[in-house]
Amino acid sequence: MISTYTILEMSATLIEIAILLEFISKMLSNKHQGKKNIITLISTFGIISIYMLTTESLFANFSAIYNFIGIMFYVIYALLFTKSHLIYKIIIPVLSIMSVLFINIILTIAITYLFNIEPSDLLESDNAFRITMLFITKITFFLFTRFVLRKVKP
């Protein structure tokens, strides 16, 4: 049986995928409009979600490979379905994912300092701090993407 913590972690992953895809598509402008755009986004969301949720355990000892393949899915999406220049189609997905990493690091430092806990406590599954941290990170990332879209996007 899947635990509540596992369901919440999977939900956080799905939220992150949705935010990343939406941000990349708005930042780089979609090639398609209307129904084609919606179908493209839903299909890509489904493919990336299946990969992220089902293969993590297969790459337990090779997380760099798992993460690299995940990044490549976003880059391939940008290359195939957005209108921007080639360099932006590569840089924007990579920088977007790196911004998630930096937000995670900054918030981990802040939470461990504020609550006087060990950083390893945020890595343990079935931990309320970890689940809270996951959703704080996703909300922060969403707000960050709104800020970037407002300030950078022409």
Side-chain angles (χ1 to χ4, degrees):
M1 184 171 172
I2 297 177
S3 73
T4 303
Y5 289 105
T6 303
I7 292 170
L8 289 171
E9 286 194 33
M10 292 170 86
S11 299
T13 299
L14 294 174
I15 290 168
E16 182 177 296
I17 293 167
I19 294 169
L20 279 163
L21 280 175
E22 187 264 350
F23 176 70
I24 292 167
S25 70
K26 283 188 176 178
M27 191 73 179
L28 299 176
S29 299
N30 289 319
K31 283 183 182 176
H32 306 294
Q33 301 299 319
K35 288 182 183 180
K36 279 187 174 182
N37 181 40
I38 293 169
I39 291 168
T40 301
L41 281 170
I42 291 172
S43 300
T44 305
F45 177 82
I47 291 166
I48 295 173
S49 297
I50 289 168
Y51 169 76
M52 297 298 281
L53 296 176
T54 61
T55 61
E56 184 176 17
S57 61
L58 299 175
F59 290 101
N61 295 327
F62 307 101
S63 65
I65 295 170
Y66 168 77
N67 291 326
F68 179 75
I69 293 170
I71 291 169
M72 291 311 299
F73 275 116
Y74 292 105
V75 171
I76 290 167
Y77 166 76
L79 289 170
L80 294 176
F81 301 113
T82 62
K83 294 191 273 190
S84 191
H85 296 289
L86 178 63
I87 191 72
Y88 295 124
K89 291 179 179 187
I90 296 168
I91 290 175
I92 295 299
V94 172
L95 288 179
S96 300
I97 293 168
M98 287 177 64
S99 67
V100 173
L101 173 68
F102 290 124
I103 289 169
N104 281 336
I105 291 169
I106 291 167
L107 289 176
T108 298
I109 292 168
I111 296 293
T112 56
Y113 179 76
L114 287 172
F115 294 103
N116 197 27
I117 60 173
E118 293 295 318
S120 61
D121 292 341
L122 296 176
L123 299 175
E124 295 174 13
S125 56
D126 298 348
N127 181 327
F129 270 118
R130 176 178 169 75
I131 299 301
T132 304
M133 182 69 182
L134 284 173
F135 286 97
I136 290 172
T137 301
K138 303 316 169 219
I139 291 167
T140 305
F141 179 60
F142 177 76
L143 295 173
F144 172 76
T145 61
R146 299 309 95 187
F147 175 78
V148 171
L149 285 171
R150 182 175 287 139
K151 296 295 181 186
V152 176
K153 179 80 173 147

